[in-house]
Amino acid sequence: MPSISAIGRYVPVIGPAAVIAKSLAFQATMSLPLSVQRRISGPVIEGDGQVLAADTQLMLMLKKISGEPSVEDLPIPAGRIGMARQAEIAGGVQPIGSTTDHWINGQKARLYVPTNESGNGGLLVFFHGGGFVYGDVQSHDPACRFLAEESGVRILSVSYRLAPEHTFPAAYDDAIVAFKHIVEHADEYGADPKRIGVGGDSAGGNLAAGVALAVGRKCAFQLLIYPVVDFGSTTASRAMFGEGFYLTKKFMDLAHDTYAPADLVASNDPRLSPLFATVRKTTAPAFVATAGFDPLRDEGEAYAAKLAAAGIDVDLERYEGLIHGFFNIVGSGHTARAAVRELAGVVALRLG
């Protein structure tokens, strides 16, 4: 059935059967041999000394020819539906031992227990991406299932208040409160309070970094996946990859203007831009993952350098052929799924 957005614009809502059909078609195309995908996707795309992965290039081409609008070109309610649909199609159906839903400070959370968990009480508290405007526990369900099942570590995905309904520092405050609650009630989630880490992608990576800075030794590890860490950034990667590689300047501007308007919030507020925060020796060790064709690449790598300069144990991995959003593309394909499997290996090593 069609629906009408909050401002009256017609928005088609894809039904479950159509989502499944689209997902299967997408997965079939993305699972073709890389050599075939390279022939279909056209001339090799290079940038900053890197080559865009064939399956990523094909995915971008399919998105372009589909004619579907980007989420930032829709009213926010419709954009939220669009992002959820994209995530479901790209993520596919992922196995998991079990899941249970919880509520933390009024926000939904979902606990993922892998089939073969390590059993030592490790837990990764995860915050979803979406520019502080989009996304929820469901939008990142396939990726969290995959991360838990591949790592053997429990994942607790926690939602937070979104803009424009709730502006800065609402999301930051929610993340801090949630993490502290989880540590204090670790037994409820089958976790050892000394083996609880934090992670997130994009906006969620921003929140994860903020949590790690705020709670010190209460956090055992931080996994930052292409985090936004500098809201006033004018980096080279933002200039090079701000169009044509999924995450656009328009989306980033919308996120900034909606969550933390420049006339109300200083872009160098450390709660908003962790790159300007003081890093204490008690900050958890980190793994920072960036993507070669991501506008946020340079600031993520600058943050890894900042942590290292402060004496924090940090590993940095740039996935050169990938784009922003690869964490959600676990349903098919080769390159993104392999990258997320590597991230699962890191989680297993640190918390498993």
Side-chain angles (χ1 to χ4, degrees):
M1 295 291 291
S3 70
I4 304 298
S5 76
I7 63 171
R9 180 171 174 178
Y10 173 79
V11 181
V13 176
I14 194 165
V19 170
I20 293 172
K22 270 201 161 187
S23 181
L24 291 174
F26 175 82
Q27 291 168 30
T29 304
M30 294 294 288
S31 296
L32 292 170
L34 284 170
S35 58
V36 176
Q37 292 179 340
R38 178 61 72 195
R39 290 198 296 272
I40 296 173
S41 61
V44 171
I45 294 177
E46 298 183 24
D48 200 23
Q50 308 164 129
V51 175
L52 188 65
D55 49 358
T56 300
Q57 185 173 333
L58 177 60
M59 181 185 67
L60 291 173
M61 184 186 78
L62 292 173
K63 182 180 184 303
K64 184 176 181 180
I65 65 178
S66 74
E68 287 194 12
S70 298
V71 296
E72 63 267 30
D73 293 325
L74 295 169
I76 287 173
R80 287 172 175 166
I81 293 172
M83 178 168 283
R85 182 171 61 204
Q86 289 176 9
E88 188 172 358
I89 291 171
V93 178
Q94 301 301 322
I96 188 67
S98 66
T99 67
T100 53
D101 286 347
H102 302 260
W103 291 92
I104 300 174
N105 194 36
Q107 300 300 311
K108 189 172 185 177
R110 182 168 296 163
L111 178 65
Y112 298 87
V113 180
T115 303
N116 298 305
E117 65 174 313
S118 61
N120 68 355
L123 175 73
L124 184 75
V125 178
F126 187 87
F127 297 105
H128 67 82
F132 303 95
V133 177
Y134 309 93
D136 54 20
V137 167
Q138 188 59 38
S139 68
H140 283 59
D141 182 76
C144 286
R145 285 169 174 257
F146 185 83
L147 190 64
E149 196 72 357
E150 289 288 324
S151 67
V153 173
R154 293 185 175 212
I155 307 292
L156 183 59
S157 178
V158 185
S159 58
Y160 49 89
R161 289 172 292 172
L162 299 176
E165 297 90 343
H166 305 280
T167 55
F168 174 83
Y172 174 87
D173 290 344
D174 285 352
I176 301 295
V177 169
F179 188 86
K180 289 181 177 179
H181 169 89
I182 292 162
V183 172
E184 291 169 1
H185 299 83
D187 58 327
E188 296 180 17
Y189 307 104
D192 176 350
K194 295 181 180 180
R195 298 188 62 80
I196 298 178
V198 68
D201 66 312
S202 194
N206 171 287
L207 298 177
V211 166
L213 290 168
V215 305
R217 298 190 195 281
K218 289 182 179 179
C219 179
F221 169 67
Q222 51 180 320
L223 175 67
L224 310 181
I225 305 170
Y226 39 76
V228 52
V229 292
D230 182 3
F231 268 69
S233 179
T234 55
T235 61
S237 62
R238 285 198 180 219
M240 284 187 287
F241 306 119
E243 298 296 336
F245 298 98
Y246 181 66
L247 179 63
T248 64
K249 182 179 184 300
K250 183 175 181 179
F251 183 99
M252 292 184 286
D253 288 345
L254 182 149
H256 190 169
D257 295 343
T258 305
Y259 177 59
D263 59 336
L264 298 177
V265 183
S267 62
N268 63 353
D269 185 317
R271 298 170 299 167
L272 179 67
S273 298
L275 194 59
F276 294 93
T278 298
V279 180
R280 297 179 175 83
K281 296 292 186 181
T282 55
T283 302
F287 187 95
V288 181
T290 63
F293 288 79
D294 182 1
L296 302 185
R297 183 195 70 192
D298 289 355
E299 64 197 79
E301 295 179 2
Y303 190 65
K306 180 182 179 75
L307 292 175
I312 306 304
D313 174 16
V314 57
D315 292 310
L316 169 66
E317 182 70 31
R318 178 193 292 187
Y319 294 95
E320 287 197 348
L322 295 179
I323 59 173
H324 193 88
F326 75 75
F327 178 69
N328 291 94
I329 311 170
V330 295
S332 55
H334 308 278
T335 317
R337 186 177 170 92
V340 181
R341 183 174 282 117
E342 286 187 18
L343 297 181
V346 171
V347 174
L349 181 65
R350 293 289 190 166
L351 297 174

